Amino acid sequence: MALLPFVLLCGFADFTGSLSITTPEQMIEKAKGETAYLPCKFTLGPEDQGPLDIEWLLSPADNQKVDQVIILYSGDKIYDDYYQGLKGRVHFTSTDLKSGDASINVTSLQLSDIGTYQCKVKKAPGVGNKKIQLTVLVKPSGTRCYIDGSEEIGSDFKLKCEPREGSLPLRYEWQKLSNSQKLPTSWLPEMTSPVISVKNATTEYSGTYSCTVKNRVGSDQCLLRLDVVPPSNRAGTIAGAIVGILLALVLIGLIVFCCRKKRREEKYEKEVHHDIREDVPPPKSRTSTARSYLGSNHSSLGSMSPSNMEGYSKTQYNQVPSEDFERDPQSPTLPTAKSAV
């Protein structure tokens, strides 16, 4: 029974035998991309004669994964390729681990490195372990200052300060760098916020302002130039815009009208040309016309009586133009008309 308190004391002290880890448990905050130093120093007793084993484990912050061995020292050899997420980025800081320093460095920190790291040291019969909580924060960066609204006398607008990234909590600090560095009294409650609401602006507000954004691992800054000017002639601007739009519509209408007119003319010309080619027969030659004319007269002569054939023949033949008539080698012979009894 007397041994029970001693055993419980040993359990709460995180060691057995005389081996002890002297580094206290702690929380470490570092910025993304930096190097985190995780200390783990230990002492040995004369009875700790077994082989020295050192093991670092990671318990991820999401609690969805089991503990991962990230680096191991055993049998006088170092094994640092157990965990793919930290491969090539975790190293022992000491070249002689038997000297009592099992500290490590984690380089090029990422947000996925957040979690609880545990250092375990064993040299039989002694065993000890300590935990370190690592938090990776993102420095403010890419901060942009701008004005939301019209910078006119008497108007209301806002001065805004927005970092592209940065771990919370963020702190803001506005300063006026030019002209009178005295800030309006109404602004004072908002000088530590990302937005300053400006009411009934005056020319005294003009000047250059800076906004500094901070968190526990870094800071960033941006500048803003404010020029409060008299109101512009909005009515003239609107009228000019309307006139410009109307002129543009008229021009577009003229272009469309001309294009449609040109297309109608081209279509009409094509239709007329097509009708001429297909509907109108080709003209007859002069030779065939004369011969046809002669043949028709022959038929007429054959059907007429002898009493008037002589006069008709003379008159009809005289109507054929001399230049359009081609005579045949043998002229037709008309029968001799008999005199009336």
Side-chain angles (χ1 to χ4, degrees):
M1 295 295 294
L3 295 176
L4 181 59
F6 177 76
V7 173
L8 293 176
L9 179 62
C10 292
F12 284 114
D14 287 334
F15 69 87
T16 60
S18 60
L19 187 152
S20 66
I21 297 178
T22 59
T23 302
E25 292 188 353
Q26 55 189 293
M27 296 181 63
I28 297 176
E29 288 184 345
K30 286 291 182 179
K32 179 183 176 182
E34 293 183 346
T35 296
Y37 169 69
L38 307 183
C40 181
K41 295 185 178 181
F42 61 92
T43 60
L44 301 173
E47 66 274 20
D48 299 324
Q49 298 297 323
L52 177 63
D53 293 330
I54 301 174
E55 184 181 57
W56 277 88
L57 298 96
L58 168 61
S59 300
D62 56 13
N63 295 322
Q64 300 295 321
K65 301 178 182 178
V66 298
D67 292 353
Q68 301 285 335
V69 177
I70 60 174
I71 192 168
L72 175 67
Y73 173 81
S74 180
D76 295 331
K77 291 184 179 181
I78 297 174
Y79 305 90
D80 57 3
D81 57 353
Y82 278 91
Y83 184 51
Q84 188 66 29
L86 284 171
K87 187 174 182 180
R89 297 193 295 119
V90 58
H91 312 280
F92 285 110
T93 59
S94 175
T95 57
D96 183 11
L97 299 179
K98 295 179 180 179
S99 64
D101 188 359
S103 304
I104 60 172
N105 280 333
V106 180
T107 61
S108 302
L109 286 173
Q110 303 174 8
L111 296 179
S112 58
D113 299 336
I114 297 174
T116 301
Y117 292 76
Q118 183 176 184
C119 174
K120 288 186 176 181
V121 181
K122 178 182 179 181
K123 188 172 177 63
V127 177
N129 67 82
K130 288 291 182 181
K131 294 181 180 180
I132 297 176
Q133 182 71 38
L134 175 63
T135 301
V136 180
L137 302 176
V138 179
K139 293 180 181 180
S141 64
T143 305
R144 184 171 70 101
C145 294
Y146 65 97
I147 300 170
D148 184 6
S150 176
E151 307 171 52
E152 295 182 351
I153 296 175
S155 63
D156 298 341
F157 53 85
K158 295 180 179 180
L159 309 183
K160 293 188 175 182
C161 179
E162 295 179 353
R164 185 180 66 250
E165 61 179 3
S167 298
L168 301 176
L170 295 172
R171 302 187 305 275
Y172 296 85
E173 181 180 345
W174 288 88
Q175 289 183 336
K176 189 175 183 182
L177 305 179
S178 63
N179 300 341
S180 174
Q181 296 186 357
K182 184 179 179 180
L183 295 169
T185 306
S186 59
W187 293 15
L188 295 180
E190 298 181 323
M191 296 307 294
T192 56
S193 68
V195 179
I196 295 179
S197 298
V198 180
K199 304 291 184 181
N200 193 21
T202 67
T203 55
E204 295 178 356
Y205 295 171
S206 299
T208 301
Y209 295 83
S210 70
C211 174
T212 303
V213 187
K214 300 179 181 179
N215 64 8
R216 294 195 295 268
V217 293
S219 64
D220 193 29
Q221 186 182 72
C222 63
L223 299 178
L224 179 148
R225 177 66 189 179
L226 174 62
D227 293 310
V228 181
V229 297
S232 58
N233 186 2
R234 296 183 180 179
T237 303
I238 295 174
I242 294 174
V243 171
I245 293 173
L246 292 176
L247 290 176
L249 292 176
V250 171
L251 179 61
I252 294 173
L254 289 175
I255 294 175
V256 172
F257 175 77
C258 293
C259 292
R260 294 185 64 180
K261 182 178 179 182
K262 185 177 181 180
R263 289 179 181 178
R264 285 198 301 267
E265 291 176 353
E266 293 177 352
K267 183 178 179 181
Y268 176 76
E269 291 177 359
K270 290 181 179 180
E271 291 178 352
V272 172
H273 182 68
H274 182 74
D275 292 342
I276 292 176
R277 293 180 59 186
E278 295 188 2
D279 297 345
V280 178
K284 295 180 180 181
S285 64
R286 294 182 176 182
T287 302
S288 61
T289 302
R291 290 178 179 178
S292 175
Y293 181 79
L294 181 62
S296 62
N297 278 291
H298 285 176
S299 298
S300 299
L301 290 174
S303 60
M304 296 183 68
S305 61
S307 60
N308 58 2
M309 182 175 60
E310 182 178 358
Y312 176 81
S313 173
K314 183 182 297 183
T315 302
Q316 294 297 323
Y317 276 97
N318 289 336
Q319 291 179 358
V320 179
S322 60
E323 65 271 16
D324 291 340
F325 180 72
E326 296 181 1
R327 297 181 178 271
D328 293 335
Q330 296 180 354
S331 299
T333 303
L334 298 178
T336 303
K338 294 180 180 182
S339 59
V341 177

